[in-house]
Amino acid sequence: HVRQMKELKDEGGYIRRWDELFATALDLRDFHDMNVDYLDDGVHIVQFAKDDIQGNEFECAKAIVQAHAGVVDKFVEIGYEEARKNHPVPEGCNALAQE
């Protein structure tokens, strides 16, 4: 799953276009990135706002990364029920995605 998501992000693809958070995260893919380490017993992911952006773009990227992490935590805790929800975009990020 992680490999597929990273490929979609890196190659300009989309998933879950109906979920506002996921759609916006991919609309703003140039503002954030992730490092993935595949381990024998799982995966270690560090997702982050890129250093070469500033101001509102940086704050939005950071907020999207944190919101996405929260959704992943809920998915682990609750299961598939969480994956079917539409998740809100952090305040101020919708405008950036529409530019």
Side-chain angles (χ1 to χ4, degrees):
H1 174 79
V2 172
R3 188 170 317 202
Q4 179 188 24
M5 293 301 296
K6 180 146 177 55
E7 287 174 6
L8 285 171
K9 181 197 168 305
D10 291 347
E11 296 172 7
Y14 283 92
I15 191 169
R16 303 169 52 96
R17 291 291 295 182
W18 52 268
D19 186 318
E20 295 172 32
L21 176 62
F22 282 78
T24 301
L26 290 170
D27 284 344
L28 302 177
R29 73 185 77 234
D30 293 337
F31 298 167
H32 56 92
D33 207 349
M34 65 172 59
N35 293 330
V36 180
D37 293 316
Y38 298 96
L39 310 172
D40 290 339
D41 61 348
V43 63
H44 180 256
I45 302 165
V46 177
Q47 191 175 11
F48 54 92
K50 290 184 177 179
D51 290 338
D52 62 344
I53 59 171
Q54 299 175 21
N56 290 343
E57 293 174 346
F58 181 82
E59 293 304 317
C60 181
K62 187 168 68 172
I64 285 174
V65 166
Q66 291 170 343
H68 177 260
V71 171
V72 170
D73 287 346
K74 285 181 183 178
F75 181 73
V76 170
E77 179 184 330
I78 298 169
Y80 189 70
E81 191 70 26
E82 186 65 30
R84 294 187 289 191
K85 295 179 181 178
N86 180 32
H87 299 91
V89 175
E91 191 173 318
C93 294
N94 271 333
L96 278 175
Q98 296 172 5
E99 289 181 359

